Amino acid sequence: MYIPSKPTRYGIKIVMMCDNATKYVIDSIPYLGKGTVPNGQVAADFYVKNLVKSIKGSNRNLTMDNWFCNIPLIQSLLHDDKLTVIGTIKKNKRELPTQFTDIKFQNRTSDTSLFLFHEDFTVVSYKPNQSKLVTLISSAHYDSSIDPITKKPEIVLNYNATKGGVDSFDQMTNNMNCSRKTKRWPLCFFYNMLNIANVNAYVIYIHNFYNKNKNDEKPMSRLQFMLSLHKELTNEWQRHRLSFPKINRELRTNIQDALEEKQVAINDKPQHGPRKYCDYCSYKKRRLTTTYCIECQRPICGEHQIKKCLDC
């Protein structure tokens, strides 16, 4: 998709549901074209109904923007799935009266609110300034409570406090990610799956850390956690590559440095490579050799090698 308002204008659109407190990704659905949504079904209803399957009946609250919010969906979530909703709603909904959507209605002043009550939900029209009007709907509020200091309705305050889960998750993955430049969309999507797994793993690590450690110890930062996770995921494969007897010497050294292990050749046999002068002989002898030390990789001739039996 092409969305010019996003930092990455081209990409695969993924609709996801995140926990607002921890930024843990609960579920996500990629948009794969027109065939993603079944025929005859509203796109917003399709995404929301599929994303909330894992939290049905949990009496939790969903915070959504105006692309997802519609009154039949909110009523269905409340009665069938036992889930409440707080979100902005588009002003072109036929259920909203004119005075809710007209910014010039009766010359409304700034910081004023109008409420509309129904047995299943409450709608508020809030005018923060002379040039802006926002409409919100909530199935978790049933009164016209307004904060005396900010003069904002409680619905607006709750929406502002819980609306940033997905945006904060996107910011976390953009600041620290494992993706690489590629022209293949499947690989790009796989990198995104790794980024999601990284964030979720770190959330679980933080919760387990504070549940087990009651002292003043500090957990690893997210960067340290990602580096340690990378090492643990690649150690087994690196050791497997070291078991190959004909592996490139430079690659073997790099792997051993990454594993922080002593460089030891397989079967304790001298390694061979291109012809070079022996490091221990005088330069006047000009003695060439293809044998290298198994530990320091220096070229050595037959005079400076140590022979050992199989038992030693």
Side-chain angles (χ1 to χ4, degrees):
M1 294 190 67
Y2 173 69
I3 305 178
S5 61
K6 297 291 184 180
T8 305
R9 291 177 293 176
Y10 291 93
I12 298 176
K13 182 178 181 179
I14 302 176
V15 183
M16 61 175 55
M17 178 175 63
C18 297
D19 178 67
N20 181 68
T22 61
K23 312 306 180 282
Y24 185 92
V25 179
I26 301 172
D27 205 349
S28 61
I29 302 175
Y31 177 76
L32 304 176
K34 294 182 179 179
T36 305
V37 180
N39 292 331
Q41 191 168 356
V42 180
D45 295 11
F46 168 79
Y47 283 114
V48 173
K49 283 291 187 179
N50 281 275
L51 288 174
V52 303
K53 285 181 179 179
S54 59
I55 60 171
K56 271 187 177 182
S58 62
N59 295 313
R60 299 193 182 194
N61 181 75
L62 300 172
T63 302
M64 305 184 293
D65 63 14
N66 58 16
W67 192 83
F68 297 97
C69 276
N70 61 72
I71 291 176
L73 174 63
I74 293 172
Q75 291 177 318
S76 174
L77 290 171
L78 181 64
H79 295 295
D80 301 337
D81 302 330
K82 308 301 179 185
L83 298 171
T84 58
V85 173
I86 299 176
T88 54
I89 187 168
K90 293 181 180 179
K91 300 179 181 64
N92 60 358
K93 301 297 182 183
R94 61 183 180 181
E95 292 89 352
L96 300 181
T98 306
Q99 50 266 45
F100 262 63
T101 58
D102 186 4
I103 194 171
K104 298 180 181 180
F105 180 76
Q106 292 184 353
N107 297 321
R108 285 178 59 184
T109 59
S110 301
D111 291 326
T112 56
S113 303
L114 295 178
F115 288 89
L116 175 66
F117 297 99
H118 187 268
E119 59 182 8
D120 292 333
F121 53 82
T122 301
V123 185
V124 62
S125 172
Y126 174 62
K127 188 176 183 180
N129 52 59
Q130 290 297 327
S131 59
K132 188 176 181 180
L133 184 70
V134 292
T135 52
L136 294 95
I137 186 169
S138 172
S139 57
H141 297 79
Y142 299 98
D143 56 13
S144 57
S145 301
I146 296 178
D147 187 86
I149 299 175
T150 62
K151 297 182 180 180
K152 293 181 179 180
E154 289 293 334
I155 298 175
V156 175
L157 295 176
N158 288 348
Y159 175 78
N160 291 338
T162 58
K163 68 180 181 179
V166 176
D167 291 335
S168 298
F169 169 80
D170 285 339
Q171 186 179 17
M172 292 173 68
T173 55
N174 287 328
N175 290 341
M176 297 182 191
N177 66 77
C178 61
S179 60
R180 296 294 181 268
K181 186 177 181 180
T182 178
K183 293 183 179 180
R184 296 191 296 155
W185 284 114
L187 187 59
C188 179
F189 193 81
F190 174 72
Y191 286 144
N192 187 70
M193 292 170 61
L194 291 181
N195 288 330
I196 294 175
N198 270 328
V199 175
N200 283 3
Y202 186 66
V203 171
I204 295 173
Y205 160 74
I206 290 294
H207 276 259
N208 289 338
F209 180 87
Y210 284 115
N211 286 336
K212 294 179 181 178
N213 297 285
K214 303 299 181 181
N215 302 327
D216 295 333
E217 298 180 16
K218 291 185 178 180
M220 288 189 291
S221 66
R222 185 160 164 251
L223 178 60
Q224 293 172 333
F225 177 81
M226 289 181 65
L227 292 175
S228 62
L229 181 62
H230 160 261
K231 288 182 179 179
E232 291 183 12
L233 291 174
T234 58
N235 274 356
E236 183 178 354
W237 173 241
Q238 292 184 67
R239 295 182 191 280
H240 178 66
R241 295 195 72 181
L242 278 180
S243 65
F244 300 158
K246 294 184 178 181
I247 190 175
N248 181 276
R249 184 168 66 251
E250 183 179 357
L251 179 59
R252 180 184 297 278
T253 303
N254 292 337
I255 293 176
Q256 289 172 334
D257 289 341
L259 294 174
E260 299 179 355
E261 292 183 349
K262 186 179 179 182
Q263 298 178 8
V264 178
I266 303 300
N267 297 329
D268 255 7
K269 293 181 179 179
Q271 295 185 356
H272 296 278
R275 286 162 57 89
K276 288 187 178 181
Y277 292 113
C278 176
D279 265 14
Y280 293 92
C281 292
S282 171
Y283 71 94
K284 295 181 181 179
K285 292 185 178 180
R286 301 177 64 84
R287 184 177 290 166
L288 291 168
T289 179
T290 59
T291 304
Y292 291 76
C293 175
I294 62 174
E295 294 190 2
C296 65
Q297 308 300 320
R298 297 165 68 185
I300 48 176
C301 65
E303 180 183 346
H304 297 102
Q305 296 178 23
I306 298 176
K307 309 294 183 181
K308 293 193 295 185
C309 68
L310 295 176
D311 295 332
C312 296

